[in-house]
Amino acid sequence: MPISKSEGSTSQRKKKIKSTYAETISAEEINKLDLQRYEGKVHIITTTEGINKAFNKINKKNAVGFDTETKPAFKKGEFNDVSLIQIATEKEVFLIRVNITGLTPEIIHFLENENIKKIGIALRDDIKDLQKLKDFNPGGFLELNKVVKHIGIESNGLRKLVAIILGFRVSKSAQISNWEGDTLTEKQIYYAATDAWVCLEMYNELLKKGYL
């Protein structure tokens, strides 16, 4: 992700703000929390028509949760392209199977749109992998791992941040699975939807408490 010239300068650097959140959390503490997942409406998109309908809704939003999934590679030197883009709004999650659709002009426009905050974790890797499919200039991405530093949260990664900020546990058991299968399993669908949804939920929670 491009870094602006002013980022990191002394005058621009954000000072840490004291928050009510824990600095870190252990695996044992996370495992004691209730397991939750996204339970709302999910759209699985494999066609140009589906993409157009999805972005008619997405493009009206100021902020969305964002994530990608890629079929794991188990051999040295093996690489797989991004299979899935997940975009979460307050009421719906869109799972775009880009291994089928490719990166269409509508998707590229969204990825470059500065006016829609795309909130996620480890976004640099997501962007780099998506750019292997088609080059674009990323705009509007907000990295939660960086955001939480200025409020004193030292942990990073989705599972830990969800536990600290939202107070529940999410499953990562479907992460290493075949995202290029003919159909996505129910387990994959809810795993993928949850990952994007919690990013938006964390953003909204931090916004509500005045940390953003």
Side-chain angles (χ1 to χ4, degrees):
M1 195 187 308
I3 298 173
S4 65
K5 290 180 183 177
S6 63
E7 188 173 342
S9 67
T10 306
S11 60
Q12 295 289 328
R13 205 172 289 150
K14 286 183 178 178
K15 292 179 180 178
K16 278 191 179 180
I17 300 169
K18 247 188 172 181
S19 78
T20 56
Y21 297 116
E23 287 186 16
T24 189
I25 190 168
S26 67
E28 292 76 15
E29 288 171 312
I30 293 173
N31 288 333
K32 290 176 184 177
L33 298 173
D34 290 337
L35 185 67
Q36 291 191 33
R37 72 177 194 184
Y38 176 74
E39 296 288 356
K41 189 179 288 185
V42 180
H43 304 275
I44 301 168
I45 298 162
T46 58
T47 66
T48 301
E49 182 185 4
I51 287 171
N52 291 338
K53 286 182 178 177
F55 283 103
N56 281 340
K57 295 180 179 180
I58 293 165
N59 289 336
K60 294 174 184 174
K61 303 297 181 182
N62 296 319
V64 296
F66 183 88
D67 194 23
T68 69
E69 299 298 339
T70 301
K71 180 182 176 181
F74 296 107
K75 294 180 181 177
K76 191 177 180 180
E78 186 182 21
F79 172 83
N80 292 314
D81 289 325
V82 174
S83 306
L84 190 72
I85 292 175
Q86 303 106 274
I87 302 169
T89 69
E90 292 85 357
K91 295 182 179 179
E92 301 170 280
V93 176
F94 302 89
L95 306 183
I96 304 172
R97 302 200 69 190
V98 290
N99 62 306
I100 298 172
T101 67
L103 287 191
T104 67
E106 292 80 11
I107 297 173
I108 295 293
H109 174 74
F110 164 76
L111 295 172
E112 294 184 334
N113 191 341
E114 294 277 0
N115 296 320
I116 303 174
K117 286 190 180 72
K118 291 162 278 287
I119 301 139
I121 289 173
L123 289 171
R124 188 184 292 269
D125 291 337
D126 289 333
I127 292 167
K128 183 177 68 175
D129 290 342
L130 286 167
Q131 286 173 327
K132 290 174 183 174
L133 297 177
K134 193 172 285 187
D135 192 37
F136 63 92
N137 296 313
F141 287 88
L142 182 69
E143 174 59 62
L144 283 174
N145 277 336
K146 290 183 179 178
V147 168
V148 299
K149 293 293 182 187
H150 87 280
I151 61 170
I153 299 175
E154 296 302 327
S155 285
N156 57 32
L158 186 135
R159 198 163 184 261
K160 285 187 176 182
L161 293 186
V162 169
I164 291 170
I165 297 169
L166 300 178
F168 59 80
R169 174 170 54 99
V170 292
S171 172
K172 301 299 287 180
S173 62
Q175 185 175 24
I176 302 174
S177 60
N178 183 10
W179 294 100
E180 295 181 9
D182 291 340
T183 59
L184 297 178
T185 66
E186 182 178 328
K187 189 175 183 180
Q188 285 178 310
I189 290 166
Y190 283 104
Y191 166 87
T194 298
D195 273 10
W197 167 67
V198 292
C199 289
L200 183 59
E201 288 289 297
M202 286 190 281
Y203 172 80
N204 286 334
E205 181 69 13
L206 294 172
L207 197 62
K208 185 173 73 178
K209 291 193 173 178
Y211 294 130
L212 296 176

